[in-house]
Amino acid sequence: MLTAHAKGESMNLTDKISKLKKEKKAIILAHNYQRPEIQDIADYIGDSIELSRKATQETQAEIIVFAAVDFMAESAAILNPTKKVLLPTLGARCPMAQMLTVDEIKRQKTHYPNAPVVLYVNTLASAKAYCDVCCTSANAVEVINSLDADTILFGPDRNLAEYVAEETGKTLIPIPEWGFCPTHLLFQPEDVTVLKLQYPDAVVMVHPECSAEMRRVADFIGSTSKMCSYARESKAKTFIVGTEEGILHRLRKENPEKQFITAYKEAVCPNMKLTTLDRLYMALKEEKHVVRVPEVIAKKARAALDRMLAINH
Ligand code: CIZ
Ligand code: SF4
């Protein structure tokens, strides 16, 4: 519960951020997993691909504040080389993106010289520079189906690789063999079974970064953007949600008449939550931390991102 004082202060900060934003011609993009107060102040909320597209469409903006984690802000910087992209908290790094090194990609390429390399956007720019095309959880199936190959090197998320292999019938070799999202691994099917006793009519939505056991108890498997459209269009009234809890704020705001329950209360991505209003204010005020990707890497990574954007409209 906020005290009146703290509430007053945070309102103040919100006003200050809005004022600075206008002065500096800045826009704030916030990922679906951000804190509610960050989502509320953002110009756009979305998943990584929606936000990357927004970043390229917003031609008037001079500064893009990317309230998310490192690889998402990096992608925005790669796609918008003339704009200043800010990551409000330097420590907001996705552990999954750190799991795939360039050496591992090169090593696997020697074993599968004819297999294209498809990388989830949750990778560092240096890794993207070594892939043929990127994908997100929202378009992974389309990207894999667009390729004229049956064996594909895919990383870093092993669960997403397994899910996409099931959906496409193709062979996906996970690189590394063990890549995972620590937050999505927290979900367990037993919790869903217990919740279903309490909410027997609830629809279970699960993110493909979750385990195969979670996929088996799902009525719907999809990215956060897909979950938002599914919940909007569904006639169901109650939803059990198997992804990072930040999405619940958006789901509830967009569907006030429906009920959303997290499949596990502690499923929080600590890196996404590093961005607070104070830090966002300081980032905008001092124009930090500027995300820079060396052009030799950016050029190759941009080609892989552009290929993805051309497949998924
Ligand atoms: O692509 C994204 O934004 C991520 C990491 C999750 C999701 O499903 O939106
Ligand atoms: Fe990375 Fe998982 Fe956090 Fe997404 S939820 S940023 S994949 S650690």
Side-chain angles (χ1 to χ4, degrees), residues 102-115 117 153 175:
V102 170
D103 281 352
E104 172 67 4
I105 303 173
K106 286 184 181 164
R107 194 176 73 82
Q108 292 290 356
K109 270 178 140 177
T110 61
H111 295 309
Y112 300 92
N114 299 321
V117 180
L153 291 167
I175 51 168

Side-chain angles (χ1 to χ4, degrees), residues 43-88:
D43 295 284
Y44 300 100
I45 308 161
D47 65 4
S48 53
I49 191 172
E50 287 170 332
L51 296 179
S52 287
R53 276 190 204 285
K54 260 297 161 230
T56 50
Q57 288 158 1
E58 282 293 321
T59 48
Q60 300 304 311
E62 283 168 18
I63 295 179
I64 297 166
V65 185
F66 218 103
V69 287
D70 54 354
F71 74 84
M72 297 186 188
E74 257 187 12
S75 297
I78 291 165
L79 292 169
N80 299 277
T82 59
K83 284 178 197 157
K84 201 180 230 185
V85 177
L86 306 178
L87 180 67

